[in-house]
Amino acid sequence: MKKIVFITGATSGIGLGCARKFAENGDKVIITGRNEQRLTEIKKELEAKGAKVLTLAFDVRDREKAKQYMENLPEEWCEIDVLVNNAGLALGLEPEYQGDLDEWETMIDTNIKGLLTMTRLVVPGMVERNRGHIINIGSVAGDAAYAGGNVYCATKAAVKALTDGLRIDVANTAIRVTNLKPGLVETNFSNIRFHGDNERAANLYKGIKPLTGDDIADVAVYAANAPEHVQIAEVLILATHQASGSVIVRK
């Protein structure tokens, strides 16, 4: 049975990979993000391959706008089967005592509050229908802090706790809950973290073949299509020469 898949932060990286992979799987995809032009481009790309796509341009930090969109979904798109809470970012690598308060707030509002907003808006319908799947994109950074990671690591630790808590809350239903924890993934993630310093971002991936957004999307599609009695609760996905969030062997 093909599904309706709702993906936040779908304009690049893991979110874009998920949009493409679920569309290739024959699923209908709802893609969201802040860049309306980019969403339109992705919609055209996927529809050219036969996919059905709905775009919603909003920032997950904007609770009222998110609520407005969700309350006014076209009827054929209302019964969301899979929610991929992907929208997230890291900003800066300063020591905690030198961090930027505004950057901290952006990370917390996006990585934690945005995830909670979408969960609160989408999951009640899943509970009512007694079916559905929530896939939260966490991180190896949620397992242990690394130098300069402080607040970002804390937000991803929160994603793990919120995912585990939700899985407990819906254990009496047929809903499944998954936490995907990528390691080093080459996307625009580092460009954003380093405020557009492309050279600094590129150095992060030197000497190692990192994961791609498509690699993580493959795992998301697998989890969503496992037999109904199988719940892929948590998956840690690392590049071959990465052992943890802080141990990377470069050659």
Side-chain angles (χ1 to χ4, degrees):
M1 174 180 164
K2 298 308 176 185
K3 303 175 176 68
I4 296 175
V5 183
F6 190 108
I7 305 161
T8 67
T11 56
S12 64
I14 295 171
L16 177 56
C18 285
R20 287 171 172 158
K21 292 289 185 176
F22 277 106
E24 288 173 10
N25 192 55
D27 297 314
K28 296 167 63 175
V29 294
I30 303 173
I31 56 174
T32 81
R34 294 174 294 172
N35 188 330
E36 188 167 6
Q37 180 179 343
R38 184 70 183 123
L39 288 171
T40 300
E41 292 169 355
I42 296 165
K43 176 181 170 72
K44 289 179 180 177
E45 173 199 327
L46 299 181
E47 287 183 337
K49 298 176 182 177
K52 291 187 177 181
V53 184
L54 175 67
T55 63
L56 303 176
F58 69 92
D59 189 328
V60 293
R61 294 179 296 170
D62 189 338
R63 185 187 306 170
E64 289 306 314
K65 196 162 188 179
K67 182 179 179 183
Q68 179 183 346
Y69 271 118
M70 298 310 298
E71 290 178 346
N72 292 281
L73 282 175
E75 186 175 351
E76 66 174 299
W77 293 92
C78 284
E79 295 191 0
I80 296 165
D81 299 293
V82 180
L83 169 63
V84 181
N85 274 318
N86 166 73
L89 77 167
L91 293 170
L93 267 177
E94 294 77 19
E96 193 169 320
Y97 60 87
Q98 294 177 336
D100 185 299
L101 289 166
D102 290 334
E103 291 185 349
W104 291 354
E105 188 170 359
T106 298
M107 285 188 281
I108 291 167
D109 286 351
T110 306
N111 300 359
I112 301 176
K113 293 183 181 178
L115 179 147
L116 283 170
T117 293
M118 297 315 304
T119 299
R120 184 64 181 85
L121 291 171
V122 174
V123 175
M126 293 180 174
V127 172
E128 184 178 340
R129 295 185 294 274
N130 194 35
R131 71 173 192 274
H133 194 158
I134 301 92
I135 300 175
N136 290 334
I137 305 300
S139 172
V140 63
D143 289 344
Y146 56 78
N150 43 75
V151 174
Y152 173 70
C153 294
T155 66
K156 289 304 183 178
V159 170
K160 173 175 171 51
L162 292 170
T163 307
D164 291 345
L166 180 61
R167 192 180 304 110
I168 293 167
D169 291 338
V170 299
N172 63 324
T173 74
I175 296 169
R176 300 181 293 184
V177 185
T178 299
N179 182 18
L180 299 187
K181 304 189 300 183
L184 195 64
V185 184
E186 187 169 12
T187 65
N188 66 346
F189 175 89
S190 294
N191 303 73
I192 293 171
R193 173 171 235 165
F194 300 134
H195 308 290
D197 186 336
N198 294 331
E199 183 178 353
R200 188 179 179 192
N203 284 335
L204 189 64
Y205 308 110
K206 282 187 176 179
I208 185 171
K209 185 173 183 179
L211 302 168
T212 68
D214 285 350
D215 293 328
I216 310 308
D218 282 335
V219 182
V221 173
Y222 174 82
N225 288 279
E228 290 185 2
H229 70 288
V230 177
Q231 179 172 213
I232 310 297
E234 186 171 288
V235 183
L236 176 65
I237 311 139
L238 301 175
T240 298
H241 295 292
Q242 179 176 16
S244 69
S246 56
V247 178
I248 298 171
V249 178
R250 303 178 189 274
K251 298 184 177 180

